[in-house]
Amino acid sequence: MISFTPLKTLQNVEFRNLLTGRFFIVLAFRMLATLLGWWVYELTKDPFSIGLIGLSEVIPAVSCALYAGHVIDMNEKKKLLLICNYAYIFLISLLLIPSFLKVEMHFTGHQITYFIYAVIFFTGIIRAFIGPILPSMIPKIVKKENLPNAITLNQATFLISSVCGHATGGFLIGYFGIKWTLVVIILLIFIASLFFWQLNKQYSEYKKESINVVESMREGIMYIFKTKEILGALCLDMFAVLFGGAVAMIPVFATDILNVGAEGFGLLNAASDIGSMCIITILSIIPLRKNQGKILLTVVAGFGICIIGFGLSKLYWLSFMFLVLSGMLDGISVVIRGTIVQLKTPDHIRGRVLSVNSIFIMSSNEMGQFESGLTAKLLGVIRSVVFGGSMTVLIAMIVGITNPKLRKMQY
């Protein structure tokens, strides 16, 4: 039976403002990521220097995440969101200096690269705050019965803006150059802030003077370890991304195994996102009604099987379909995991729990790329992908056996 919950959820003006603001800010972030990779490689001609961009951001983001969760729970969220928003605008605006005045100020390529790393380091600190703020605001904006659908729509917005951001960033760089693309990115972040201004204030339930920072952060961590459904969901997320990182090896498959060139590479690179967008669109109309815990374990195992299939495939169309299917299964997993975390977390501790969640996500993404590269070097590309998929299946089985609360979870 088709549900019209999405229409009811989107009738909430405040929720629409939150989604629209998130669309523009994620669009800007993805455009920025595309631009920085292109710009740094143009300056250095060194692929390793591109990897240092992510490292420059993830180190401060992970390091500050626990403290960020404490600050989010202790302060009014709308004010904190706007501060982060305008801090991003200020930092990205600093990049206009070398982009517009490179010749006049006699900057070298290496000087600009180091300057970019420094700016991205500070955006990583802000990322630790802004990442958990947006999802932590949703439960106070929508009714509890609409929360699963709101999380689905939130994830759909993220995926659409992410894909559009990568594509738009490449287009703007090609037609207007780096400096004007930066101007557009700053403008998009400013537009996002206009929608965030429309949100209602969300005050903390704590008195700041009565809370010890260390104890507050410890409370968030201990809550996750005590709540087996959340712990199991986060472990599945981390290990599925850590071991199922076939995407990192797609350039090698496209060039050396499937022999499809740049055009084929582009489609393979987009395949999992295509699958995720399709299934999340379906889930926003026809939500999952029961047995979400069992479904989560099944789709994570299925995701691992798809990665194994991709690693063994020698046919382009079959590889493409495995990646699309893996994206669909991952999309289901993302929606269920996100809903479990939100539903099982009280408002007063939500920021800290979502900050720990962000550590799992950020560290698994970065470590997943490292794991893929390391195992590819030790085992060979095909064996490394098959190994990663097999480990994902094994992790799903272990979590399913050892975590009956997650297995029986439904909402």
Side-chain angles (χ1 to χ4, degrees):
M1 182 177 178
I2 293 178
S3 167
F4 293 96
T5 308
L7 297 179
K8 293 180 181 178
T9 308
L10 289 173
Q11 285 173 359
N12 185 325
V13 176
E14 188 178 6
F15 182 63
R16 288 207 308 269
N17 285 327
L18 181 71
L19 281 190
T20 308
R22 192 180 193 213
F23 174 84
F24 281 112
I25 203 165
V26 173
L27 183 70
F29 290 169
R30 290 298 177 264
M31 288 174 61
L32 181 64
T34 302
L35 178 142
L36 292 177
W38 179 274
W39 194 6
V40 167
Y41 188 70
E42 186 181 73
L43 292 169
T44 64
K45 303 301 179 185
D46 179 10
F48 181 68
S49 63
I50 300 174
L52 292 177
I53 298 172
L55 196 63
S56 299
E57 185 175 28
V58 78
I59 289 175
V62 171
S63 301
C64 296
L66 288 176
Y67 178 70
H70 164 78
V71 173
I72 292 167
D73 282 334
M74 301 303 136
N75 290 274
E76 196 275 302
K77 292 182 176 64
K78 175 184 173 181
K79 179 181 177 181
L80 194 57
L81 174 60
L82 288 168
I83 290 172
C84 291
N85 199 106
Y86 290 119
Y88 252 111
I89 290 176
F90 170 73
L91 289 169
I92 303 307
S93 296
L94 294 177
L95 296 176
L96 294 174
I97 298 172
S99 65
F100 275 90
L101 302 175
K102 176 182 177 181
V103 176
E104 290 84 348
M105 300 189 72
H106 306 290
F107 289 123
T108 66
H110 286 294
Q111 286 174 333
I112 296 174
T113 302
Y114 296 144
F115 184 72
I116 291 171
Y117 291 153
V119 170
I120 297 307
F121 178 89
F122 287 104
T123 64
I125 297 174
I126 301 172
R127 177 181 169 183
F129 289 84
I130 203 168
I133 291 175
L134 286 165
S136 73
M137 297 180 78
I138 294 176
K140 285 195 174 182
I141 294 175
V142 302
K143 295 179 179 178
K144 186 175 181 179
E145 61 266 26
N146 294 333
L147 185 57
N149 189 259
I151 293 168
T152 304
L153 290 170
N154 181 54
Q155 188 61 25
T157 301
F158 174 84
L159 280 170
I160 293 169
S161 57
S162 181
V163 173
C164 291
H166 285 304
T168 305
F171 171 81
L172 290 177
I173 292 167
Y175 281 88
F176 300 104
I178 289 171
K179 56 187 179 183
W180 293 112
T181 303
L182 272 173
V183 172
V184 172
I185 290 169
I186 293 167
L187 181 61
L188 288 172
I189 301 175
F190 177 75
I191 291 172
S193 75
L194 298 180
F195 289 95
F196 294 148
W197 273 108
Q198 308 305 313
L199 303 176
N200 294 324
K201 293 182 178 181
Q202 293 189 10
Y203 292 99
S204 169
E205 298 179 11
Y206 284 105
K207 294 181 179 178
K208 295 180 192 177
E209 62 271 14
S210 66
I211 297 296
N212 178 274
V213 176
V214 175
E215 184 60 32
S216 171
M217 292 189 293
R218 181 179 174 275
E219 184 184 2
I221 296 171
M222 292 307 298
Y223 182 82
I224 290 174
F225 278 93
K226 287 189 294 185
T227 311
K228 300 303 181 184
E229 298 93 331
I230 295 179
L231 181 62
L234 295 187
C235 286
L236 281 174
D237 182 26
M238 184 176 75
F239 288 111
V241 174
L242 179 64
F243 290 113
V247 174
M249 295 293 108
I250 285 178
V252 181
F253 275 83
T255 304
D256 300 334
I257 297 171
L258 301 174
N259 300 309
V260 292
E263 295 81 4
F265 164 68
L267 284 173
L268 285 176
N269 211 34
S272 60
D273 282 338
I274 292 171
S276 294
M277 283 194 293
C278 289
I279 197 65
I280 286 177
T281 301
I282 293 171
L283 290 177
S284 66
I285 301 171
I286 311 174
L288 299 169
R289 296 294 185 187
K290 57 183 180 178
N291 298 322
Q292 289 89 352
K294 291 179 181 177
I295 293 172
L296 174 60
L297 293 164
T298 302
V299 297
V300 171
F303 173 83
I305 292 171
C306 288
I307 298 304
I308 295 171
F310 172 77
L312 296 175
S313 172
K314 298 294 190 296
L315 299 174
Y316 173 72
W317 66 267
L318 186 59
S319 299
F320 179 82
M321 291 308 300
F322 273 125
L323 288 177
V324 170
L325 184 57
S326 74
M328 296 178 75
L329 295 172
D330 187 50
I332 297 171
S333 172
V334 165
V335 170
I336 297 175
R337 289 196 315 262
T339 307
I340 288 173
V341 171
Q342 291 281 23
L343 288 176
K344 298 295 291 185
T345 305
D347 286 335
H348 72 277
I349 204 171
R350 198 177 302 279
R352 280 163 285 175
V353 170
L354 289 173
S355 291
V356 175
N357 183 36
S358 72
I359 293 176
F360 276 70
I361 293 171
M362 287 184 287
S363 59
S364 60
N365 279 321
E366 300 300 326
M367 290 302 295
Q369 288 185 342
F370 176 75
E371 182 273 337
S372 295
L374 179 62
T375 54
K377 185 174 183 179
L378 296 175
L379 304 176
V381 175
I382 294 175
R383 289 178 181 174
S384 72
V385 172
V386 172
F387 169 78
S390 301
M391 289 300 296
T392 301
V393 175
L394 181 61
I395 292 298
M397 293 173 62
I398 292 172
V399 172
I401 292 169
T402 60
N403 196 327
K405 285 191 175 182
L406 178 63
R407 190 172 65 245
K408 298 174 183 177
M409 173 75 186
Q410 52 186 355
Y411 46 81

